[in-house]
Amino acid sequence: MATGRLHFAGNERPAANPAKLNPRPEIFLFGEERGTAEIAAEIAAELQLGHLRDIQRNEFGTPLLNDLLQRAKVVGKTAMLGYVNCDIIPLQEFQDSVVVIHEQ
């Protein structure tokens, strides 16, 4: 688990604006790590992000993926659910696959 502060330097932002994707994904930031709430507040309106706190953790403090997914199912408005860790950058093939699945 990262313990450093999450931040965007200067005008750095995610390369792909999720608001321009079709189908439009719902994106949620999970957790209370330093900087998460600040980033969510800073770019939430621009990128239409949600922020979910109080994620269940194991005895070592590791967030439980099953809790993340369950929480996303409860608050999400779409039938499709995916998980991408913050250190992953989905390529165009990922978006293309989502479109194909969405159209089925």
Side-chain angles (χ1 to χ4, degrees), residues 10-75:
N11 63 356
E12 178 185 352
R13 291 287 185 270
N17 183 341
K20 295 180 180 177
L21 296 175
N22 187 19
R24 169 69 173 93
E26 290 179 90
I27 298 175
F28 299 97
L29 299 176
F30 290 92
E32 303 91 328
E33 285 73 28
R34 281 191 318 156
T36 304
E38 291 85 353
I39 292 300
E42 180 182 330
I43 64 174
E46 177 185 344
L47 298 180
Q48 300 173 5
L49 302 176
H51 181 206
L52 301 176
R53 299 166 181 83
D54 302 321
I55 304 305
Q56 291 181 4
R57 297 172 182 270
N58 68 14
E59 66 273 15
F60 304 108
T62 306
L64 300 177
L65 185 58
N66 63 331
D67 188 48
L68 298 178
L69 297 175
Q70 185 59 39
R71 299 273 307 278
K73 286 179 185 178
V74 169
V75 299

